[in-house]
């Protein structure tokens, strides 16, 4: 098993100290900054959007990995790109024309990710679609909130997707999101995950200290 990458999710950050929190994870070697955008329709909660991303973009150098939990995300892809996203991940379940939405992300010059919810099977992503992606996100909790428990049945989905990607001769990274912490890192790593999103595990308590421990486990 090689090294897996870390994408701290700012959903669990202290927003009174957002700039410092982002600086801390950058300094501690985070690979991506995971930014959860929620619309209150696709998921029950509302988080933050373009003005916040635009503001934090002014200081942060890290790759902005925007996870859009938004219905009909194609309505906002261009704006997300303009306000500083480097990668944009949309949900398969959120749009009627996933191909067009992925193409639009690429037309904006950004990396395109596709996410599936826990109840969506890996087979819902066709080979043709898979070949267009820069990232495949397997949700390991129901999207909408931080701090939930890892759904055990996700492990098989990660393994199945890894096998498909390998069989097709592709090198798309698999990202996992939800309930990833010191106790579940090994499970998802062994199953084939490449990028681990972590919210509460990074930002609850001492951010820099947590990053040191988690980075060690991801080696
Ligand atoms: C949930 C979000 C996650 C969330 C993960 O819908 O997509 O990125 O921040 O939080 P933890 O790591 O606490 O499960
Ligand atoms: Zn997320």
């Amino acid at each position: 098993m090689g090294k897996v990458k870390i994408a701290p999710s700012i959903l669990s950050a202290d927003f009174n100290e957002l700039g410092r929190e982002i600086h801390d994870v950058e300094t501690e070697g985070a690979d991506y900054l995971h930014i959860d955008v929620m619309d209150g329709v696709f998921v029950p909660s509302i988080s933050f959007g373009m003005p916040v991303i635009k503001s934090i973009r002014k200081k942060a150098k890290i790759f902005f990995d925007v996870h859009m939990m938004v219905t009909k995300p194609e309505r906002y892809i261009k704006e997300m790109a303009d306000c500083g996203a480097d990668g944009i991940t949309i949900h398969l379940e959120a749009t009627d024309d996933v191909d067009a939405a992925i193409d639009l992300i690429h037309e904006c010059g950004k990396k395109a990710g596709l996410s599936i919810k826990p109840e969506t099977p890996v087979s819902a992503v066709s080979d043709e679609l898979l070949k267009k992606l820069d990232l495949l996100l397997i949700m390991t909790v129901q999207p909408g909130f931080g701090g939930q428990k890892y759904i055990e049945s996700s492990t098989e989905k990660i393994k199945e997707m890894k096998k498909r990607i390998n069989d097709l001769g592709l090198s798309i990274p698999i990202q996992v999101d939800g309930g990833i912490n010191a106790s579940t890192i090994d499970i998802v790593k062994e199953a084939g995950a490449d990028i681990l999103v972590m919210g509460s595990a990074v930002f609850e308590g001492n951010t820099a200290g947590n990053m040191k421990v988690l980075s060690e486990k991801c080696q």
Side-chain angles (χ1 to χ4, degrees), residues 9-12 34 36 38 43 67 69 139 141-148 177-180 197-201:
S9 162
I10 56 167
L11 190 62
S12 292
H34 187 81
D36 290 298
M38 303 180 185
V43 289
H67 177 194
M69 285 163 275
M139 285 306 299
V141 298
Q142 283 299 340
F145 302 96
Q148 303 179 75
D177 183 6
I180 312 298
V197 175
M198 289 187 267
S200 43

Side-chain angles (χ1 to χ4, degrees), residues 157-174:
K157 287 176 71 179
I158 302 165
K159 286 184 186 163
E160 195 185 332
M161 187 48 94
K162 190 70 174 185
K163 184 173 183 316
R164 271 186 65 195
I165 290 172
N166 287 341
D167 289 351
L168 288 166
L170 302 171
S171 55
I172 307 158
I174 297 178

Side-chain angles (χ1 to χ4, degrees), residues 39-206:
D39 68 351
V41 178
F42 183 71
V43 289
S45 192
I46 297 176
S47 56
F48 41 73
M50 281 75 84
V52 172
I53 300 173
K54 205 171 167 182
S55 172
I56 58 177
R57 183 74 284 180
K58 288 182 192 153
K59 283 194 182 159
K61 307 259 185 306
I62 193 168
F63 185 105
F64 276 13
D65 164 39
V66 176
H67 177 194
M68 292 184 75
M69 285 163 275
V70 173
T71 296
K72 299 199 188 307
E74 53 275 10
R75 295 175 298 153
Y76 297 108
I77 286 170
K78 174 130 193 347
E79 276 180 86
M80 286 296 164
D82 289 345
C83 70
D86 295 300
I88 299 174
T89 298
I90 58 162
H91 268 266
L92 178 67
E93 306 87 356
T95 174
D96 296 328
D97 197 343
V98 67
D99 270 283
I102 294 294
D103 290 346
L104 182 56
I105 299 171
H106 283 143
E107 281 158 25
C108 293
K110 306 299 171 187
K111 301 279 186 202
L114 183 70
S115 179
I116 53 171
K117 287 166 70 172
E119 66 274 21
T120 303
V122 157
S123 59
V125 185
S126 70
D127 287 353
E128 288 317 302
L129 183 53
L130 203 51
K131 285 177 191 161
K132 290 168 75 163
L133 303 177
D134 300 299
L135 175 90
L136 193 283
L137 166 55
I138 296 180
M139 285 306 299
T140 47
V141 298
Q142 283 299 340
F145 302 96
Q148 303 179 75
K149 194 175 169 292
Y150 176 81
I151 297 174
E152 301 289 339
S153 55
S154 311
T155 311
E156 274 311 308
K157 287 176 71 179
I158 302 165
K159 286 184 186 163
E160 195 185 332
M161 187 48 94
K162 190 70 174 185
K163 184 173 183 316
R164 271 186 65 195
I165 290 172
N166 287 341
D167 289 351
L168 288 166
L170 302 171
S171 55
I172 307 158
I174 297 178
Q175 185 179 59
V176 289
D177 183 6
I180 312 298
N181 52 42
S183 342
T184 48
I185 284 176
D186 287 345
I187 299 168
V188 293
K189 231 174 121 175
E190 271 167 43
D194 303 288
I195 304 168
L196 315 187
V197 175
M198 289 187 267
S200 43
V202 167
F203 292 107
E204 261 176 31
N206 182 290

